[in-house]
Amino acid sequence: MGNCLDRNPVGAKNSSAVYGLAEEPSSELPTNQRTEPPLGLYLHVPFCSHSCDFCAFYQEAPRRADLERYLHAIELELRLFPPGRRVQTVFWGGGTPGLLPAGDVARLGAAMLRHTEGAPTEWTVEMAPATVKEDKLRVMRDLGVTRISLGVQSFDDRVLSELGRRHSAAQVMRAIDRIRHCGFENLNIDLMFAIPGQDPGAWDRDLRHAIACAPEHLSTYCLTFEEDTRLWARLRRGEVRPCSESEEYVLYEHAIDLLEDAGYRQYEISNYSHPGFACQHNVHTWEMGEWVGYGPAAASQFQGIRFANPESLDRWYQGVEIGRLERVDRVVLDDANLAVDAVIFGLRMNAGINLNRLRKRWPRAPWGELESLWTAWINEGLACHPSPDRLALTRRGRLVADAVAREALEVLD
Ligand code: SF4
């Protein structure tokens, strides 16, 4: 449906007390009290050993020559476009960052740390269960990686095969053992629902299995049929039946209830955590903080501009090699588009948004039109004011968050 569970757009935190909305923009503070706003760093590793049946993300086969070329180009890109200030959160996504051999992880990590001005407070690396090996985990731990995000999707081998995933439930359990044995105390498990062949009973078993693994964080994504994927082709041939929207809602709401009973607080439409374990990097981006992206297809939001690197290893490398970084999808940000995005992404979080702070941060945004919108949402039971200056979606509102977002975007037309 996309309402409940689309994948994180940039590669994501209830740490509003620490980041973004809870803070005054530095430009509003007296000069002697200004501090640099938090900065995130996203690094894209575009290699996958095979293509999963549902996946439309940009990816490349991990040929050794390309890996070498990639590592060299990342080192160059970091020198050409250094963050220029302390980096607080790091996210390595992909692709499959965990597929890099231990020596490559060490080289990439060392290159990045030369530019972060100290150790990040949170550093996530995405790993696929089949790639979790002790040597690379030890390298990551020694570099300062704090969080592993494991792409489990399901604990049911039959469901995994429907998705074209190349791991088994047994490999997932071995991967979790290794991650814990290496001392990582912050583990995310990605799960997927509304998969063909996964009935409510199978989804319930996946959730209970995940809870029994005791991760600190869980992400649950609704399967979407993306064009040009093998699953899309099967759908077109009538070989699989997608869940209806009402079936998706049932599965989604079951996850909320079961995970909350198990002590996981939903803090965003697709994300749950134990207290203190929300993903700081993602929350920072949802609160319209600044981040810099490296690697092909990586997006950045920095110094008033949003842009991305080309989705091609060759194009990205050629630009880096001649010292002219190619930027695509470039948007100059103003109060209006930043405020609308802060409303859209902020309302996906259960804590919602602090209206006074947003108004102070972007005073020239179309607040009158936005206010009319949320008055209507409140009247329809989709939103509420948990406190006088805060706006949040209700549980019913979160089910239709995409429709809410579309209405907010129309304010920019
Ligand atoms: S491992 Fe991740 S990025 Fe790679 S094909 Fe599978 S889902 Fe896509």
Side-chain angles (χ1 to χ4, degrees):
M1 85 186 117
N3 268 330
C4 296
L5 312 140
D6 45 347
R7 289 206 59 154
N8 173 22
V10 284
K13 356 182 191 192
N14 172 28
S15 32
S16 59
V18 181
Y19 286 94
L21 300 186
E23 297 194 345
E24 300 299 325
S26 60
S27 60
E28 293 172 10
L29 295 172
T31 311
N32 61 355
Q33 289 176 27
R34 278 184 199 163
T35 53
E36 287 187 322
L39 181 66
L41 186 154
Y42 176 74
L43 193 148
H44 194 77
V45 183
F47 303 102
C48 293
S49 53
H50 84 290
S51 184
C52 300
D53 288 4
F54 60 91
C55 182
F57 289 139
Y58 163 66
Q59 56 192 270
E60 301 273 355
R63 288 176 286 267
R64 188 65 227 166
D66 283 338
L67 287 174
E68 287 291 338
R69 189 181 180 198
Y70 168 82
L71 292 168
H72 177 61
I74 285 279
E75 288 166 344
L76 285 176
E77 188 180 22
L78 280 157
R79 284 206 292 272
L80 287 166
F81 177 54
R85 65 178 203 250
R86 184 166 142 58
V87 170
Q88 286 187 303
T89 61
V90 169
F91 199 104
W92 285 11
T96 320
L99 157 157
L100 296 176
D104 292 349
V105 173
R107 180 172 163 190
L108 192 59
M112 187 196 78
L113 287 171
R114 284 196 283 277
H115 300 277
T116 55
E117 301 189 10
T121 53
E122 181 192 86
W123 179 351
T124 302
V125 176
E126 286 184 341
M127 298 189 84
T131 67
V132 176
K133 301 284 182 298
E134 277 173 26
D135 58 346
K136 56 183 95 168
L137 285 171
R138 275 198 299 274
V139 167
M140 288 180 197
R141 188 196 56 204
D142 293 347
L143 282 167
V145 171
T146 60
R147 185 171 181 270
I148 302 292
S149 179
L150 197 61
V152 172
Q153 316 313 347
S154 173
F155 292 89
D156 182 327
D157 286 342
R158 195 180 46 84
V159 172
L160 287 168
S161 139
E162 278 292 329
L163 293 172
R165 294 288 285 189
R166 290 271 174 91
H167 65 259
S168 64
Q171 274 176 311
V172 172
M173 301 314 290
R174 276 199 297 279
I176 293 174
D177 276 352
R178 286 174 184 158
I179 289 165
R180 293 308 198 187
H181 187 248
C182 275
F184 289 97
E185 294 174 350
N186 192 348
L187 169 68
N188 169 58
I189 284 182
D190 277 353
L191 289 180
M192 199 170 259
F193 67 90
I195 302 165
Q198 180 197 45
D199 59 21
W203 176 228
D204 178 75
R205 285 191 294 281
D206 269 344
L207 288 166
R208 290 179 193 276
H209 210 136
I211 292 166
C213 293
E216 285 68 30
H217 190 284
L218 275 151
S219 300
T220 62
Y221 299 107
C222 186
L223 176 71
T224 51
F225 290 81
E226 305 286 343
E227 273 187 61
D228 298 329
T229 61
R230 278 193 286 274
L231 205 56
W232 171 262
R234 289 177 63 202
L235 180 72
R236 295 288 299 270
R237 292 197 297 268
E239 293 170 8
V240 291
R241 182 187 78 82
C243 281
S244 67
E245 200 166 85
S246 58
E247 286 170 325
E248 289 174 357
Y249 287 161
V250 168
L251 299 173
Y252 176 61
E253 296 215 273
H254 182 58
I256 298 175
D257 294 336
L258 198 64
L259 293 174
E260 293 206 338
D261 281 351
Y264 292 93
R265 190 174 51 89
Q266 186 191 34
Y267 68 98
E268 196 265 352
I269 279 178
S270 305
N271 289 284
Y272 304 79
S273 78
H274 284 156
F277 286 92
C279 177
Q280 295 174 34
H281 181 85
N282 284 350
V283 175
H284 175 66
T285 61
W286 296 332
E287 291 181 341
M288 296 301 114
E290 288 190 314
W291 74 93
V292 282
Y294 298 90
S300 300
Q301 177 160 295
F302 192 54
Q303 297 182 335
I305 302 173
R306 193 178 288 158
F307 54 86
N309 288 348
E311 266 195 18
S312 151
L313 196 56
D314 280 335
R315 266 174 66 193
W316 167 72
Y317 183 73
Q318 282 157 15
V320 172
E321 194 180 42
I322 60 167
R324 194 176 300 162
L325 302 176
E326 184 184 348
R327 306 306 198 187
V328 298
D329 301 333
R330 191 173 179 278
V331 177
V332 176
L333 300 168
D334 58 19
D335 279 19
N337 49 30
L338 280 167
V340 167
D341 284 348
V343 168
I344 290 171
F345 286 95
L347 288 178
R348 289 176 61 91
M349 292 189 277
N350 294 44
I353 52 180
N354 183 312
L355 298 170
N356 290 341
R357 290 203 171 103
L358 292 195
R359 281 196 175 99
K360 271 194 206 160
R361 200 168 159 192
W362 299 296
R364 290 177 294 280
W367 291 112
E369 287 168 68
L370 285 167
E371 190 162 349
S372 309
L373 271 184
W374 67 66
T375 302
W377 297 334
I378 290 170
N379 290 337
E380 292 167 44
L382 302 177
C384 62
H385 286 298
S387 63
D389 61 355
R390 200 161 261 286
L391 180 77
L393 292 184
T394 58
R395 183 160 166 160
R396 193 155 78 76
R398 280 194 286 281
L399 290 178
V400 293
D402 280 359
V404 165
R406 277 193 296 275
E407 287 185 20
L409 275 175
E410 281 168 15
V411 167
L412 294 176
D413 287 345

